[in-house]
Amino acid sequence: MTVKLDYDYIEENLILQDLTCALCTDPLLEPVCAQQCGHTYCRACITASFRRKSECPTCRLVLTLDDFHPVYTRSFLNQLNQLLVKCKFCSEENIQRGNYEDHAKMCSKKPVSCAAADLNCPWTGRHNKLEEHMKTCPLMQVRPMIVELKEKMKRQTEQIQFLYTMLEKISANHQETCKEDYSGEAICDVCDESCSHNGSNNGLHYCPQTDICQKCLNKYRP
Ligand SMILES: [Zn+2]
Ligand SMILES: [Zn+2]
Ligand SMILES: [Zn+2]
Ligand SMILES: [Zn+2]
Ligand SMILES: [Zn+2]
Ligand SMILES: [Zn+2]
């Protein structure tokens, strides 16, 4: 499995084999290691490999994915972070791999997307054009409002859900001790149709003479 990276390694053939993954043959990314055999792989590579077979791909020892733990050895991680890479977008060379993310944030040629991409703004472009786009993007102008509305709606749905849960609970508790004697028929207070008021219809009933049929309950339930 080869991950698509935004950089190329410089002089990849000179990189120590200890720093590479036997599965993708590239320098390790998020290295994980099994204590039982000491073999180390990229997290993504070993995860993909275990989907096919539950063994260490090098020594064939039967293991589970949980046997692979992140490598924390500082000197080892430092060596990986210090590998030199070249940015695929601006061609700047000799960036330490560990610093590439910082470079990518500033890279003048890496395409970035609009902050309203979550509202389906299709714009992508160079970093230095982003600010200009965002100033005129119609979605950016309504974005704060939409985000606020979405949050409000989510909150209201939760509140309604809470009230329904309460009403159903109160109704169910009441029906256990209800002394009212309907002979099986009641009138729904919402739709005026007749319904049976006992607990079997999953509608709501409170005393005195308050009934909501199952159809109405389902219609308004969030
Ligand atoms: Zn790998
Ligand atoms: Zn092994
Ligand atoms: Zn760059
Ligand atoms: Zn936009
Ligand atoms: Zn009804
Ligand atoms: Zn009752």
Side-chain angles (χ1 to χ4, degrees), residues 170-183:
I170 293 168
S171 167
N173 287 346
H174 167 76
Q175 287 182 42
E176 274 175 25
T177 54
C178 178
K179 298 279 190 288
E180 209 167 291
D181 179 35
Y182 290 85
S183 41

Side-chain angles (χ1 to χ4, degrees), residues 87 89-92 95 100 103 107-110:
C87 175
F89 302 105
C90 68
S91 299
E92 186 177 323
I95 305 167
Y100 183 78
H103 168 82
C107 177
S108 57
K109 299 209 170 152
K110 182 179 157 65

Side-chain angles (χ1 to χ4, degrees), residues 58-72:
T58 304
C59 65
R60 307 275 170 224
L61 188 66
V62 175
L63 295 168
T64 69
L65 204 48
D66 291 336
D67 291 320
F68 286 86
H69 298 286
V71 177
Y72 289 118

Side-chain angles (χ1 to χ4, degrees), residues 20-78:
T20 62
C21 163
L23 290 169
C24 66
T25 69
D26 280 336
L28 289 154
L29 273 181
E30 290 186 69
V32 291
C33 177
Q35 247 172 15
Q36 290 91 329
C37 66
H39 288 120
T40 306
Y41 306 95
C42 310
R43 177 192 296 287
C45 292
I46 195 64
T47 304
S49 170
F50 266 75
R51 269 187 223 121
R52 296 187 300 272
K53 219 164 184 201
S54 296
E55 60 179 30
C56 172
T58 304
C59 65
R60 307 275 170 224
L61 188 66
V62 175
L63 295 168
T64 69
L65 204 48
D66 291 336
D67 291 320
F68 286 86
H69 298 286
V71 177
Y72 289 118
T73 317
R74 179 80 65 88
S75 57
F76 185 74
L77 295 180
N78 281 347

Side-chain angles (χ1 to χ4, degrees), residues 7 16 26 34 58 71 79 84 95 103 114 116 133 140 147 150 160 184 188 191 202 217:
Y7 50 78
L16 291 172
D26 280 336
T58 304
V71 177
Q79 284 187 73
L84 296 178
I95 305 167
H103 168 82
C114 174
H133 164 77
M140 274 313 281
V147 168
K150 272 187 173 169
I160 293 169
C188 169
C191 67
N202 294 321
L217 190 63

